[in-house]
């Protein structure tokens, strides 16, 4: 029997600090609408139970202040300032608590690292086990009533928690490996996929053709942009490809679109669905973080099928992947190309990471693009919004083959046959380990969790997605008036 490590012990308690002055949140609890400036932070004792109790009290005081205010859209400038102060004070306490107790919390949530809750379940469990550390399910459900610009911004606290977990070598590595495991839905569908060779999901079609499995994105009205449904389906689809022993190679390709600009054409991906981002339907945990920790990371590092810590490389199933780029691969679409082994593009295609334009961080694109294109070109793409067309001199840094549109199928089949050789999977796993060790990915994603949570609520991002949505609505209305 394998001996599992126990939950990390709480740090030894230092000498008790002198009694601090009450925080602004505590002082304001008698009059929740009173304006209060920042107060000196209350030192934590280092004893887990005492610090958890203090955190819960501070969070409850902040919630009383917020509850006395109107919803975000109806707040005056002064009321917005009060809310910002309440959030800032309790976030300072959460930060200090996590700095001392992250491993202890994670040990509690995983029963001493013997269980592997996936990220959304982990965050929900943290809300239950350590009140005030992250938003509750009810609080997050209430946020869903509002568009992104009108939310309280509670996902920022989820990002702080996830970032702290990922920063920990013990807890973070455990979480990364947990998210590399197969999803429950993939395990449920595996027998059907093995027997029938195809599975139709809501937004993804998976089909086995010989020893290759083709994963086709299907969000036709949005140019195959990624939304929460597509990301969940891709996590399942990638698992199925990796779990089916008869499949040697995976292929990613966008399906045909009915968008007016490219009707009837294949499009690889338009990146994140900016309309859903504007409408508040791009969750930080279930989309932005789970995507990077889930199917995108599986494309590069493979699927963890044996979580026993003593196992070696046989713990993972990894296979080569082909990307077939029709029309364009924008944002998250280009990010996928940085994880796979062979990219075939049609002659008119282009790729881009419009991070500066959108205002958010392009996933792990910053981590992976530099080693593929070099630092200077990477900065032009990420910071300057440069597109790389299939015919550009720099295209070789992104594409392996550029072919006429009518030869795409032929080129994909040829690449699939070449990558099906027995030694390819083992060697591409070793390449991935050399290029991006899991702990290197983990430390990057810890900072990404902080940065992306903040950027998702930054005023410039909210202004940009609102303007884009309004422009799209005007174009839609203009098309409707012409029909």
């Amino acid at each position: 029997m394998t001996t599992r490590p126990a939950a990390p012990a709480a740090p030894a308690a230092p000498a008790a600090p002198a009694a601090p002055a009450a925080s602004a949140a505590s002082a304001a609890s008698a009059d929740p609408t009173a304006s209060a400036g920042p107060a000196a932070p209350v030192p934590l004792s280092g004893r887990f139970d005492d610090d958890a109790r203090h955190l819960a009290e501070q969070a409850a005081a902040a919630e009383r202040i917020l509850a006395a205010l109107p919803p975000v859209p109806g707040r005056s400038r002064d009321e917005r300032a009060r809310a910002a102060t309440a959030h800032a004070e309790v976030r300072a306490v959460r930060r200090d608590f996590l700095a001392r107790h992250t491993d202890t919390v994670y040990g509690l949530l995983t029963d001493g690292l013997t269980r592997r809750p996936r990220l959304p379940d982990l965050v929900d469990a943290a809300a239950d086990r350590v009140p005030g550390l992250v938003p509750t399910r009810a609080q997050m459900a209430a946020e869903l009533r509002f568009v992104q610009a009108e939310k309280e911004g509670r996902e920022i606290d989820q990002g702080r928690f996830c970032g702290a977990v990922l920063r920990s070598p013990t807890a973070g590595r455990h979480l990364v490996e947990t998210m590399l495991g197969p999803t429950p839905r993939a395990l449920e569908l595996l027998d059907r996929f093995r027997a029938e060779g195809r599975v139709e999901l809501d937004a993804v079609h998976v089909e086995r053709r010989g020893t290759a499995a083709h994963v086709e994105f299907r969000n036709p009205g949005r140019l195959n942009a990624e939304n929460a449904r597509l990301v969940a389906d891709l996590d399942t689809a990638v698992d199925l490809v990796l779990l089916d022993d008869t499949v040697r190679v995976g292929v990613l390709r966008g399906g045909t679109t009915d968008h007016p600009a490219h009707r009837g054409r294949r499009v690889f991906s338009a990146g994140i669905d900016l309309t859903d981002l504007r409408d508040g339907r791009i969750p930080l945990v279930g989309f932005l973080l789970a995507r990077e920790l889930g199917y995108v990371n599986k494309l590069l590092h493979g699927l963890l099928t044996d979580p026993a810590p003593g196992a070696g490389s046989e713990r993972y199933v990894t296979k080569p992947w082909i990307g077939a780029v029709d029309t364009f691969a924008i944002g998250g679409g280009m990010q996928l190309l940085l994880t796979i082994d062979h990219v075939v593009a049609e002659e008119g295609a282009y790729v881009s990471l419009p991070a500066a334009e959108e205002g958010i961080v392009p996933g792990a694109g910053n981590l992976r693009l530099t080693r593929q294109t070099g630092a200077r070109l990477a900065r032009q793409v990420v910071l300057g919004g440069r597109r790389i067309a299939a015919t550009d001199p720099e295209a070789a840094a992104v594409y392996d083959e550029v072919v006429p549109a009518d030869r795409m199928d032929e080129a994909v089949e040829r690449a699939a046959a070449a990558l099906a050789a027995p030694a390819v999977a083992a060697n591409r796993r070793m390449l991935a380990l050399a290029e991006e060790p899991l702990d290197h990915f983990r430390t990057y994603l810890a900072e990404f969790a902080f940065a992306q949570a903040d950027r998702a609520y930054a005023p410039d991002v909210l202004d940009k997605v609102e303007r884009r949505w309004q422009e799209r609505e005007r174009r839609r209305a203009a098309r409707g008036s012409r029909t």
Side-chain angles (χ1 to χ4, degrees):
M1 177 180 295
T2 302
T3 302
R4 302 287 186 178
S23 70
S26 298
S29 61
D31 180 9
T33 64
S35 178
V42 177
L44 299 180
S45 70
R47 294 182 291 270
F48 178 79
D49 289 343
D50 291 345
D51 291 349
R53 189 177 307 111
H54 176 69
L55 169 62
E57 292 169 354
Q58 295 300 299
E63 290 303 322
R64 287 194 292 272
I65 294 173
L66 297 174
L69 299 172
V72 172
R75 289 177 188 169
S76 66
R77 178 177 299 182
D78 182 62
E79 289 168 336
R80 288 175 182 268
R82 293 180 211 168
T85 297
H87 280 302
E89 288 196 1
V90 72
R91 281 173 183 157
V93 178
R94 290 183 181 119
R95 178 198 62 204
D96 293 347
F97 181 86
L98 287 167
R100 294 171 180 261
H101 301 300
T102 293
D103 280 352
T104 301
V105 171
Y106 193 81
L108 291 172
L109 302 180
T110 60
D111 292 341
L113 309 182
T114 63
R115 294 192 308 105
R116 291 189 174 272
R118 299 183 69 80
L119 186 63
D121 295 330
L122 181 80
V123 174
D124 285 343
D128 295 336
R129 294 293 297 270
V130 188
L133 183 57
V134 292
T136 65
R137 293 178 182 85
Q139 288 170 333
M140 293 308 300
E143 291 275 76
L144 292 176
R145 302 197 308 257
F146 300 99
V147 300
Q148 190 78 358
E150 298 177 353
K151 291 184 178 184
E152 194 69 60
R154 297 185 184 277
E155 287 181 309
I156 293 173
D157 300 302
Q158 292 181 326
R160 300 285 193 273
F161 170 71
C162 294
V165 169
L166 288 164
R167 278 178 176 170
S168 163
T170 300
R173 179 63 180 246
H174 190 269
L175 176 59
V176 169
E177 291 192 344
T178 295
M179 294 298 289
L180 285 173
T183 60
R185 185 165 64 149
L187 295 175
E188 292 174 4
L189 294 171
L190 181 57
D191 287 342
R192 187 205 305 178
F193 182 64
R194 283 172 170 163
E196 300 176 7
R198 57 187 293 144
V199 167
E200 191 79 36
L201 303 171
D202 287 342
V204 174
H205 177 76
V206 194
E207 182 175 348
R208 188 174 60 240
R209 303 175 195 168
T211 59
H214 293 245
V215 177
E216 186 175 284
F217 319 144
R218 293 184 175 177
N219 186 12
R222 301 285 177 86
L223 295 170
N224 292 324
E226 286 185 301
N227 54 24
R229 181 187 63 172
L230 181 55
V231 165
D233 284 352
L234 283 170
D235 212 357
T236 299
V238 169
D239 285 352
L240 292 173
V241 173
L242 293 171
L243 287 168
D244 187 344
D245 295 337
T246 65
V247 172
R248 304 289 288 274
V249 180
V251 178
L252 299 179
R253 194 171 188 182
T256 56
T257 176
D258 56 16
H259 189 279
H262 299 280
R263 194 181 306 277
R265 293 190 61 190
R266 285 185 180 271
V267 171
F268 189 79
S269 174
I272 193 170
D273 189 324
L274 291 175
T275 297
D276 276 9
L277 178 61
R278 179 262 181 193
D279 290 345
R281 295 197 297 267
I282 299 292
L284 175 73
V285 171
F287 181 114
L288 295 171
L289 291 175
R291 174 185 184 274
E292 300 300 329
L293 287 162
Y295 88 90
V296 179
N297 204 28
K298 291 171 185 176
L299 291 172
L300 182 64
H301 286 291
L303 191 70
L304 180 64
T305 55
D306 181 359
S313 60
E314 70 273 13
R315 303 169 68 198
Y316 290 88
V317 174
T318 184
K319 295 174 183 178
W321 288 88
I322 297 166
V325 181
D326 302 276
T327 312
F328 51 69
I330 298 174
M334 183 178 181
Q335 293 169 33
L336 298 183
L337 304 182
L338 304 177
T339 68
I340 61 182
D341 305 288
H342 191 89
V343 178
V344 180
E346 69 173 6
E347 288 177 340
Y350 69 88
V351 297
S352 68
L353 277 177
E357 181 183 353
E358 294 172 353
I360 57 178
V361 180
N366 295 330
L367 173 66
R368 294 164 179 154
L369 184 62
T370 298
R371 68 172 181 253
Q372 186 159 323
T373 66
R376 187 56 48 209
L377 182 55
R379 279 166 171 76
Q380 293 172 13
V381 171
V382 175
L383 304 181
R386 177 175 174 178
R387 295 179 177 184
I388 302 177
T391 53
D392 286 349
E394 297 84 358
V398 179
Y399 314 104
D400 296 283
E401 290 185 75
V402 177
V403 300
D406 59 2
R407 293 179 56 191
M408 284 289 289
D409 292 346
E410 173 191 340
V412 169
E413 293 302 320
R414 185 173 58 250
L419 291 176
V424 170
N427 279 294
R428 63 97 59 190
R429 168 145 177 81
M430 300 308 293
L431 285 168
L433 288 174
E435 293 171 351
E436 187 181 296
L438 276 179
D439 280 333
H440 186 49
F441 167 76
R442 172 184 62 77
T443 56
Y444 173 90
L445 211 67
E447 301 311 310
F448 171 79
F450 280 78
Q452 192 72 305
D454 287 343
R455 293 306 302 157
Y457 290 89
D460 63 302
V461 174
L462 299 176
D463 288 344
K464 287 174 182 176
V465 296
E466 181 65 24
R467 287 199 305 270
R468 282 191 171 191
W469 178 80
Q470 290 179 0
E471 289 169 4
R472 196 199 72 168
E473 291 301 298
R474 283 195 294 269
R475 289 195 299 270
R476 178 181 293 176
R479 289 194 300 267
S481 66
R482 292 195 297 266
T483 58

